[in-house]
Amino acid sequence: MQAVAALLAIILVALTPLVALAEEGSFTEAVMRSTFRIAGSNSQGTAFILGKPDPNAKDRSFFFVLITAAHVLEDIEGESATLFLRTREGETYKKLPHQIRIRSGSQPLWKRHPEVDVAVMLVPIPREADIYLASTDLLATDERIKTLDVNAGEEVLVLGYPYGAEANDAGFPILRSGRVASFPLTPTVKVKTFLLDFPVFKGNSGGPVFLDQRIRAKGSGAALGTFVSVLGIVSEERFLTEQVTSLEELQVKSHKLGIAVVVHASFVSELVNSLQLPAQ
């Protein structure tokens, strides 16, 4: 019972200098500081952490929710994985490898969406870890997509670890961009995924795809403000498959298109909302 209470104390935190809520004007920094490489036996990928507000707390307390592509966790063998967190001292960041349990025996501790390649789980985070937390409320719903008028041709930002590569010794993710390459985007319950003109490499899976702008075209003019949202997560690369038949054999060839398949954030939000939060 004491172990459960201690774990809950780590998962559920009031905001501190090391765990700060992302304020307006710093969304890209917030997502970069909340995105990490996750690795284990036989697999690695990208994961990011958002804060699910505690509905019973009077202060600004959050549960840490780890979000990634389901196949990233499924491909890791064993009961644990390493999440490469970071610490911060002044302006200096250092890598902080942190073991998390992903299975109890053969039973997964994450929750997988039955229709798309998304998994979420509550995770304990050590107090010395630096996380600039964004709320799960920023996961884009259909209404949010329509309000922001996100459509084909929109340039968005993507974080990840292609082939496990990191931006620097502190282990920050590599920030890239691409354009939405499919139409329509809604209703997400039917569309499920959208395409992004963005070359995918092993290690990109699970990375957040997000919008962070201060000015957007509106009609014949422009609107000023803070336009931010997590639109989805990278799932896989799109291939074109062909069959080549000869007199003696049938060959199946796959051709890379340099296009990412992105799962809509509405499915992430659905999973997050279905998580059973620990009783205090």
Side-chain angles (χ1 to χ4, degrees), residues 6-66:
L7 177 63
L8 178 58
I10 299 175
I11 294 178
L12 179 63
V13 296
L15 300 176
T16 68
L18 291 181
V19 181
L21 182 65
E23 303 292 349
E24 291 186 359
S26 56
F27 190 60
T28 295
E29 179 185 345
V31 183
M32 290 196 76
R33 286 169 61 183
S34 298
T35 299
F36 309 97
R37 186 164 67 91
I38 184 170
S41 177
N42 202 44
S43 181
Q44 68 175 342
T46 303
F48 62 105
I49 294 174
L50 297 179
K52 180 174 175 57
D54 176 18
N56 300 314
K58 295 181 180 179
D59 58 2
R60 295 198 301 175
S61 295
F62 291 77
F63 290 93
F64 291 117
V65 181
L66 181 141

Side-chain angles (χ1 to χ4, degrees), residues 239-246 248-256:
F239 290 86
L240 179 64
T241 302
E242 66 170 340
Q243 293 184 348
V244 181
T245 305
S246 69
E248 296 183 349
E249 63 180 348
L250 173 64
Q251 292 183 325
V252 178
K253 295 184 177 182
S254 295
H255 304 278
K256 295 182 177 182

Side-chain angles (χ1 to χ4, degrees), residues 38 66 73 79-83 98-102 121 123-124:
I38 184 170
L66 181 141
L73 296 177
E79 294 190 2
S80 64
T82 302
L83 192 63
H98 175 60
Q99 292 288 310
I100 59 171
R101 284 190 77 194
I102 60 172
M121 63 183 295
V123 291

Side-chain angles (χ1 to χ4, degrees), residues 48 139-140 194 207-210 229-234 262-266 268:
F48 62 105
L139 293 165
F194 63 91
V209 177
F210 61 100
S229 196
V230 177
L231 301 176
I233 70 168
V234 176
V262 179
V263 178
H264 272 291
S266 59
V268 181

Side-chain angles (χ1 to χ4, degrees), residues 93-133:
Y93 295 90
K94 293 183 179 180
K95 196 182 301 183
L96 176 67
H98 175 60
Q99 292 288 310
I100 59 171
R101 284 190 77 194
I102 60 172
R103 291 184 183 88
S104 178
S106 60
Q107 183 65 32
L109 298 178
W110 68 83
K111 191 166 188 179
R112 191 197 203 283
H113 198 282
E115 298 179 31
V116 293
D117 184 25
V118 171
V120 302
M121 63 183 295
L122 297 177
V123 291
I125 299 296
R127 288 194 174 273
E128 64 266 30
D130 172 80
I131 297 183
Y132 196 15
L133 208 61

